[in-house]
Amino acid sequence: MASAFTITDIETDLACPGASSFVQIQLNDLTDYPLASAGGNTPPAAIVPAKFRNYADQVRDFRVYDDDVWIVTYPKCGTTWTQEMVWLIAHDLDYQTARDVNLNTRSHFLEIGAIADKIPVDTVTVAASMKRPRHIKSHLPMALLPRQLWTVKPRIVYVARNPKDVAVSYLHHYRMIMGYRGTKEAFLDGLLEDRVMFCPQIRHALDFWTLKEEPNVLFLTYESMKRDLRSVLPKVCTFFGKSFTDEQLDALAVHLSFDQMKKNPSTNNDQMVRSAMKMNGREGEQFEFMRKGIVGDFRNELSEEYIEKFDRFIEQQLAGSDFKYDL
């Protein structure tokens, strides 16, 4: 059977031990693609590690159930934070299980084994066999996600974040988790040219913004959660048909605070970080998955030149859209 995709090898200066080569992948079969009828919304080609070529069709044909919960983000947009929030709300604030069972087991990363060179596990098949109701996270852009998401319509939570803060956080992640040893400038230029893994970045968010009025899609921003998580929680509870007392939501907000999440072994990804750093040549170096969690930290790490470049990039990419990043 012919693939629904055109997959092209690309040359890149962003190769690293975690992903040694990359491809550009274009969805050609728009059957069930939710934006197919929207003018000018042909899906853009995406950048993924070359390993994904062996999984693209498997992911596209992945069976989706209506009681699934999907958390979709571009990397470094508060994914772990959102996974914990969503899991607890959907499971009636079961803190005991949340403490006893690692978040990565409770909320499974669909494609990690399909992109990471040194992870031998077929995580797509693992996700398919999870006990329902399943919580699944993905960084894949809309065009690479399972086609049944758009027909079965499970609950999908999408989170967007200011690309300048993403750039800083993703650079640290790429260096320490993926083992990247190239220059900071090469990585930032790669983001500005949409050549980094899971790009194009802004279109990633815009596609889900287009679906924000769909009853099964909840569109959130990292900044609104960081600014006042307590006021966001009732919106998430309503989305999942849950109701809790003010005291319960106050306690949940404390549990989900950055300091508490960072101290929580179930959510801070420390074991995963150490394993990835060892595999990718960074063993013994200091790095924490939950690093700062600050809105506007880009001002401390990006030069004025790159801040201006990102501002122009964002303005160009958002032209014609009513979406604005929550700064």
Side-chain angles (χ1 to χ4, degrees), residues 26-30 33 35-45 143 200 203 207:
Q26 175 74 57
L27 175 65
N28 299 318
D29 179 3
L30 301 188
Y33 181 65
L35 305 184
S37 61
N41 268 313
T42 300
R203 180 66 184 268
D207 284 352

Side-chain angles (χ1 to χ4, degrees), residues 27-215:
L27 175 65
N28 299 318
D29 179 3
L30 301 188
T31 307
D32 299 328
Y33 181 65
L35 305 184
S37 61
N41 268 313
T42 300
I47 304 299
V48 288
K51 187 180 181 182
F52 190 75
R53 71 163 68 244
N54 301 318
Y55 292 89
D57 290 308
Q58 182 183 348
V59 172
R60 177 168 169 76
D61 295 332
F62 184 88
R63 184 171 182 181
V64 173
Y65 297 98
D66 59 5
D67 59 356
D68 282 349
V69 175
W70 288 69
I71 295 94
V72 182
T73 71
Y74 190 79
K76 313 314 294 179
C77 290
T79 323
T80 301
W81 192 16
T82 306
Q83 287 173 271
E84 180 77 350
M85 173 182 68
V86 164
W87 191 92
L88 280 166
I89 288 173
H91 290 83
D92 299 318
L93 307 183
D94 182 0
Y95 292 108
Q96 186 64 51
T97 301
R99 281 190 293 270
D100 292 345
V101 181
N102 189 276
L103 177 60
N104 292 323
T105 300
R106 291 181 278 122
S107 190
H108 183 74
F109 190 175
L110 176 70
E111 71 271 9
I112 183 62
I115 61 169
D117 283 357
K118 298 183 179 181
I119 294 181
V121 180
D122 178 354
T123 53
V124 180
T125 298
V126 171
S129 62
M130 286 173 65
K131 182 181 176 181
R132 295 169 57 192
R134 308 175 304 186
H135 280 230
I136 299 173
K137 87 161 185 181
S138 178
H139 294 315
L140 293 170
M142 183 179 287
L144 302 189
L145 286 166
R147 61 193 295 185
Q148 286 190 357
L149 281 177
W150 322 119
T151 54
V152 177
K153 298 189 175 183
R155 288 186 177 91
I156 302 171
V157 179
Y158 187 89
V159 189
R161 187 184 187 188
N162 169 15
K164 289 176 285 190
D165 278 335
V166 169
V168 169
S169 184
Y170 203 7
L171 172 62
H172 287 284
H173 177 100
Y174 217 74
R175 281 174 168 167
M176 304 309 293
I177 302 296
M178 302 289 290
Y180 172 67
R181 295 184 181 275
T183 67
K184 176 179 182 177
E185 291 74 20
F187 184 82
L188 296 176
D189 289 342
L191 282 174
L192 290 165
E193 296 163 6
D194 274 330
R195 295 186 293 106
V196 178
M197 182 165 61
F198 298 118
C199 279
Q201 179 186 0
I202 294 178
R203 180 66 184 268
H204 200 293
L206 286 180
D207 284 352
F208 277 90
W209 179 252
T210 304
L211 301 183
K212 68 184 183 300
E213 301 301 332
E214 294 291 323

